[in-house]
Amino acid sequence: MAYVVLARKWRPMVFEDVVGQEHITRTLMNALKNQRIAHAYIFAGPRGVGKTTTARLLAKAVNCEKQPAVNPCNECASCKSITEGHSMDVIEIDGASNRGIDEIRNLRENIRFAPASSRYKIYIIDEVHMLTKEAFNALLKTLEEPPSHAIFIFATTEIHRVPLTILSRCQRFDFKRIPIGDIKNQLHEIVKSENIDIDDEALLLISRKADGSMRDAESILDQMISFSDGKLAIEQVRESLGLIDQEVYFEFTDLLKTKDTAKILLYANKVIATGHDLIDFLHGLQEHFRNFLIVSSIGDSNLLDVADFYRERYEKDADLYSERDLIHFLSLLSDAEQDIKFSNFPQFSLEMLLLKLAFKPSSEAVEEILAFIEKLKQNPPLLSTGSRPNSSGGSSSGGADYASEKASKYSGKSSVDNANKQSSTQEERLTSSHMQPESVSKEFGPLAKTLSRFESLKNERKTEEIEEKKAENDIDISDIKQKWPAIVEKVRARKIALGSFLQEGIPVKVQGSKVIIAYDNSASFHKEHVEKNHAVIEEIIRNEFQLSLRLNFTTIDFKEQGIEQQPRTPEEILEDIKNKEPVIKKIIEAFDLNDLSTMKMHS
């Protein structure tokens, strides 16, 4: 007898043998048991999952001579003739090659005749979506009101191409991809029955390669048996199918810890040199990071379709990555697929992709930076001269308590580094008080400048806090008032107009390191001018008291507060400046700056 391939030899003979489609076989068996047979069925789903096989089982069951039959007996003449493919009453039509209106017209003519020897005349049309629009239209009336002895069973891999008018006249059953575990169990039964010596891990590789198709898995197994003379090992399966060893992907995740550009480029060259298809490599790397994501988020590796050894490695290394980093990795891999597929230089695209994955800033470090920025918005730091940032939000230096603790923790680290427990980790070296910004910049890549900046902000902020506490303890308003005339004169020496406007204000209170300067309600112009130039005043005050003091400005009603000083008008101040400084007077007159708005603009 001629050799029969495994896919045909192990084709299911009863409904229970159909792998992975229990939701369909149970429904059909109940319908047969209750004699609720429909006149039209449509089976939809991927290739190799049992659509045509189930159609034949249904045809055998309804025509089995041993009635009532939930499962075909496979012994009577009717069952044997259907199994062997020469039954006169079960007609299988290939929709791809018999797709025109003439074939459907012949079908309509022949369907009127009673079955030759069976209970039902059954038409199984495979790939029914290939029929033309005219053929579908010709089939409609017959499909809606067929003879009582006729049953239609359609099978398709592209259900969306079947007209709704056809679908509405059929009972629809959607077949699903068969889980890898079910395929492996079925292959294990086959090799056990066929006395084939093969590793369980090799069966797992074949099951994964089949991509949910039982027929593909059996065909691959048939091929592997021919490839091997003795025991079929996992290395032979991987070599024959061109599969990439899982160790290749673990090798890359190990490189993520070192961030060594040279090693990553050598790794990419090795992937190219081994001849692996780069799209297959990307898909494998996607599955690799997906496995980490599943273990990291669920905390269980039972959902992984991998060998037990690799299952343990995923559990061990899952803590090295945050979920956000893994999602970002998967996003980068997904976006890069088209670039590599259509690139004129795919090796370069692969190298850039791997370097992006390696040097991607960790999500934890980015979160800390964003939180630091938000904190600075709420509590702006002092400038290097001790002043607040200007109205545009600019600042040259400063810090915040919130960032000082976190900055060193995440400086230059990737999410891989966060879980490194060795005694000489990058975290311990970076957070050391002896770690200099220069060494940080050399070692830790793109974030080094920003993160090393945190260190200087921390130190500056600590200095400011010490000065503020000292100011709070060592100075009061009487000290400020005593030296206020001298301060005004020093400001006047630098900026005449500023000193004159500052003279109109009165120091009224000290709050911590803040000196409150009050202006009369009518002196808003004076207050506005001084606020614009407060940095100069704060620098002079700091030099005078050797303390970090800041100015805050407010307006009050001098009369209500019993303050005798009456503010001068801007015009009076301008006149006073001209009288005291003859040179300024000549400049004002020469450039026609007597107008108040002009003076304000040039001040």
Side-chain angles (χ1 to χ4, degrees), residues 299-408:
D300 190 354
S301 62
N302 291 330
L303 296 180
L304 305 186
D305 296 314
V306 296
D308 291 340
F309 169 73
Y310 292 119
R311 199 187 305 273
E312 293 175 359
R313 289 192 65 176
Y314 280 117
E315 291 178 349
K316 178 182 177 182
D317 295 344
D319 291 338
L320 299 178
Y321 310 94
S322 69
E323 293 180 17
R324 292 186 180 182
D325 286 335
L326 292 170
I327 292 172
H328 196 181
F329 289 154
L330 292 171
S331 177
L332 288 174
L333 290 169
S334 179
D335 294 341
E337 184 171 338
Q338 294 299 316
D339 292 339
I340 291 179
K341 182 181 293 184
F342 299 107
S343 174
N344 293 327
F345 191 6
Q347 180 171 351
F348 174 75
S349 299
L350 176 64
E351 291 168 348
M352 290 302 99
L353 171 64
L354 298 181
L355 289 173
K356 284 181 183 178
L357 293 172
F359 289 99
K360 186 195 80 67
S362 71
S363 60
E364 294 180 355
V366 172
E367 285 181 0
E368 292 300 326
I369 293 174
L370 294 176
F372 176 81
I373 294 173
E374 186 63 29
K375 191 71 176 179
L376 289 182
K377 289 180 180 179
Q378 298 174 4
N379 183 26
L382 295 175
L383 295 173
S384 58
T385 60
S387 64
R388 285 284 183 179
N390 58 31
S391 58
S392 63
S395 176
S396 61
S397 65
D401 291 335
Y402 177 81
S404 63
E405 178 184 349
K406 299 294 185 180
S408 61

Side-chain angles (χ1 to χ4, degrees), residues 35-49:
Q35 294 296 303
R36 299 177 62 87
I37 309 301
H39 65 272
Y41 298 88
I42 186 164
F43 296 160
R47 71 182 191 283
V49 294

Side-chain angles (χ1 to χ4, degrees), residues 271-289:
V271 172
I272 297 291
T274 52
H276 294 308
D277 183 87
L278 293 187
I279 300 303
D280 288 343
F281 172 78
L282 282 187
H283 291 167
L285 198 56
Q286 285 176 332
E287 183 179 5
H288 183 63
F289 283 117

Side-chain angles (χ1 to χ4, degrees), residues 39-40 89-95 98-114 121-126 128 131 135-147 149-154 166:
H39 65 272
D89 298 319
V90 177
I91 300 97
E92 292 194 31
I93 301 173
D94 177 19
N98 298 276
R99 59 194 302 266
I101 190 172
D102 292 336
E103 287 82 359
I104 300 302
R105 283 174 178 166
N106 292 334
L107 183 152
R108 290 174 57 187
E109 292 296 326
N110 294 331
I111 201 172
R112 294 182 300 171
F113 300 106
K121 178 176 282 190
I122 300 173
Y123 287 87
I124 300 175
I125 304 180
D126 198 11
V128 70
L131 296 183
F136 275 126
N137 290 336
L139 187 60
L140 281 177
K141 188 63 176 177
T142 302
L143 187 61
E144 186 171 21
E145 297 178 1
H149 59 263
I151 297 176
F152 288 96
I153 306 176
F154 303 137
I166 298 293

Side-chain angles (χ1 to χ4, degrees), residues 60 73 89 115 128 168 220 227 261 296 376:
K60 287 195 290 185
C73 67
D89 298 319
V128 70
S168 65
I220 294 172
F227 177 79
T261 302
S296 177
L376 289 182

